Amino acid sequence: MKGKGNYTRGLISRCTNYKDSDIIFTLLSENDGIQNFIARGAKKPTSKLSGHIEPINFVEIYYTSKSDLPAVSQVQSINSFMKIKSKYNLLIRSQYLVELSEKFFSDDANNNSQLKILTETIDQLSKTEHPDLVIMVYEFELLKSYGFGLRIFECLNCSKSLKKSSNYFSYTNGGFYCESCLGNTHSNEELVKFSIEDQIIFRSIERKKYDEILSLDINDLSIKKLSEMLKKSISNVLGVQLKTSRFL
Amino acid sequence: MTLGRSSLPIEIQKLIIAFSSLPGIGPKTAQRLTFYVLSQNTDETLKLSEALRDVKKNLSYCQNCFFITNEEGGESCSFCTNKDSSLICVVENIVDAITIEMSGIHSGSFHILHGSISPMNGIGPENLKINELIKRINNKLPKEIILATNPTLEGEATSMYLSNYIKDNYENIKVTKLAKGLASGTDLEYSDFNTLSNAFENRTNIN
């Protein structure tokens, strides 16, 4: 902390124009939760703030809190994710990641470790041929770190280890049922049959490291199926459909 | 003791609520405007109400460029006729089209999208006048399409979507976009990485 103001760092998740030349933006900050700031005059071409204040920019800001909405006086971009912003499909995917994180991140506490994973994931999007796999890894880890991890090794009903055969995924309960427990599921539960190969992808995500997962030979159809199930699990946890998900 | 708003006549309450629905106008300003209208003579107030009514009653969007027009039918308007239709400048809003038109630097026609792609707000290509632009291109192939969306994330997303679509579907249309970089009057010292990188990328030969 210096003088009357404060410093904070984080990823800008969204910006809204306010009055003639001001911008109100939301920051997923490292240590202070999700915060809103006002950048006065930021839309003027000669503003020192313009250019730095844009969604999916990792920034360091200096602000003063004289009113309810802290006013930003200095901004420095640390990572602008230029490669992501130059490709439409990557930009859309990174916006999905940011909206997803907004829903899970704590409003007023430290999100440092989750934010680090988020920025690494956005960075990874530009380096891979399977951006949807990268998103899946992030979704999987996010659910796990907030206590909604999927049960992929044991049956949701009998808790026995799942056999190396087809099992049935339930997104409402976030895990698998073995074949012998199918009769014990709820009537309104939608179950999707998963082959052993598809289950291996989930297990690989759980056990292996980032680079190793990306080096797996996974077909697009499997990624699509697993990704759809993960998104349904997330919607079930959040109780809402993410606005960005229909663009993926 | 303060006078609550509910004790005001219903007509005043309705006008305050109507003014509050305008962008940038809060309850206090709405109240001030209402009492100002009340203090005006009847003629002045009627002029205002007639102007508001006429705007909604007489104006519609031109079905070619999507600028506002008071011409019936709306297949084309005074803004898009007598302009070079082989050069289409695509902008987000009517204000952007007016700004470019007033500068006198563009002699071609315009196409107004009425927004930009914003996944975070649930706005996709189908919510904009993109299908109408495609129909327009199919009716008469232009030589060049200038993408003049705002240099924001949403504007860039719209521009990328359009350029990808046009490049994939039309071989002979030249697609250009406005240059990005340093604005006049700025200091290099305060420029962000994005702006500097764009300025270097789009640098021009001067000898």
Side-chain angles (χ1 to χ4, degrees), chain A residues 6 9 12 16 36 39 41 43 54 59 66 70 134 155 175-176 196 202 220 222 229 236:
Chain A
N6 298 294
R9 280 155 57 106
I12 297 176
T16 313
N36 288 321
K43 279 179 73 189
E54 184 179 73
V59 291
K66 285 179 187 166
V134 172
C155 170
F176 286 94
I196 185 66
F202 267 169
D220 288 345
S222 291
M229 285 303 111
N236 190 52

Side-chain angles (χ1 to χ4, degrees), chain B residues 63-84:
Chain B
Q63 292 306 299
N64 184 46
C65 69
F66 289 90
F67 195 78
I68 20 173
T69 177
N70 55 7
E71 289 158 37
E72 288 204 7
E75 281 302 312
S76 62
C77 65
S78 54
F79 191 69
C80 60
T81 45
N82 302 325
K83 284 202 169 102
D84 183 2

Side-chain angles (χ1 to χ4, degrees), chain A residues 97-116:
Chain A
L97 291 174
V98 170
E99 191 191 5
L100 177 65
S101 309
E102 261 188 353
K103 300 284 182 205
F104 277 94
F105 279 19
S106 168
D107 277 347
D108 49 11
N110 188 317
N111 290 313
N112 203 356
S113 57
Q114 287 91 346
L115 189 65
K116 203 175 165 204

Side-chain angles (χ1 to χ4, degrees), chain A residues 120 124 133-134 137 141 144 201-216 218:
Chain A
E120 277 173 9
Q124 276 288 333
L133 187 60
V134 172
V137 174
E141 287 301 318
K144 200 171 139 189
I201 302 174
F202 267 169
R203 291 179 181 207
S204 306
I205 292 170
E206 170 78 26
R207 286 176 172 154
K208 292 182 180 174
K209 288 183 179 174
Y210 222 49
D211 293 341
E212 288 170 341
I213 300 161
L214 293 174
S215 65
L216 286 171
I218 304 170

Side-chain angles (χ1 to χ4, degrees), chain B:
Chain B
M1 198 175 84
T2 55
L3 187 66
R5 192 178 291 165
S6 56
S7 57
L8 293 168
I10 188 79
E11 290 80 3
I12 293 184
Q13 286 183 47
K14 273 166 74 178
L15 192 56
I16 292 174
I17 292 167
F19 276 130
S20 315
S21 67
L22 297 173
I25 296 194
K28 278 272 175 199
T29 313
Q31 194 169 303
R32 259 198 305 275
L33 289 170
T34 302
F35 285 106
Y36 174 77
V37 167
L38 211 60
S39 70
Q40 292 290 91
N41 63 44
T42 314
D43 282 353
E44 289 296 318
T45 314
L46 284 177
K47 264 187 209 168
L48 177 70
S49 72
E50 272 170 26
L52 283 171
R53 191 196 59 203
D54 290 349
V55 155
K56 287 310 283 180
K57 199 179 161 191
N58 302 341
L59 298 182
S60 59
Y61 291 123
C62 164
Q63 292 306 299
N64 184 46
C65 69
F66 289 90
F67 195 78
I68 20 173
T69 177
N70 55 7
E71 289 158 37
E72 288 204 7
E75 281 302 312
S76 62
C77 65
S78 54
F79 191 69
C80 60
T81 45
N82 302 325
K83 284 202 169 102
D84 183 2
S85 60
S86 66
L87 189 61
I88 302 176
C89 178
V90 179
V91 291
E92 286 178 26
N93 299 306
I94 288 172
V95 182
D96 300 337
I98 294 170
T99 309
I100 296 173
E101 176 75 2
M102 281 169 66
S103 70
I105 43 176
H106 173 65
S107 59
S109 58
F110 286 89
H111 188 90
I112 297 143
L113 296 172
H114 289 275
S116 53
I117 295 172
S118 175
M120 295 285 269
N121 295 313
I123 302 170
E126 70 283 1
N127 302 112
L128 309 174
K129 303 291 180 198
I130 289 179
N131 283 337
E132 288 78 358
L133 174 66
I134 294 160
K135 268 187 206 164
R136 194 175 161 184
I137 295 171
N138 289 336
N139 280 344
K140 192 180 177 190
L141 278 187
K143 281 182 192 157
E144 184 178 347
I145 292 180
I146 304 167
L147 301 172
T149 52
N150 286 318
T152 58
L153 200 69
E154 289 81 11
E156 288 297 309
T158 313
S159 164
M160 280 189 273
Y161 177 85
L162 282 173
S163 65
N164 289 346
Y165 185 89
I166 297 166
K167 277 177 199 167
D168 290 347
N169 293 284
Y170 306 93
E171 279 180 7
N172 300 322
I173 300 178
K174 185 179 170 188
V175 184
T176 55
K177 65 183 279 190
L178 298 189
K180 288 202 297 182
L182 295 166
S184 307
T186 48
D187 283 338
L188 274 177
E189 182 190 353
Y190 296 118
S191 297
D192 60 293
F193 177 75
N194 263 352
T195 311
L196 271 179
S197 141
N198 284 320
F200 267 84
E201 211 169 282
N202 301 317
R203 68 187 185 277
T204 49
N205 195 345
I206 53 170
N207 58 11

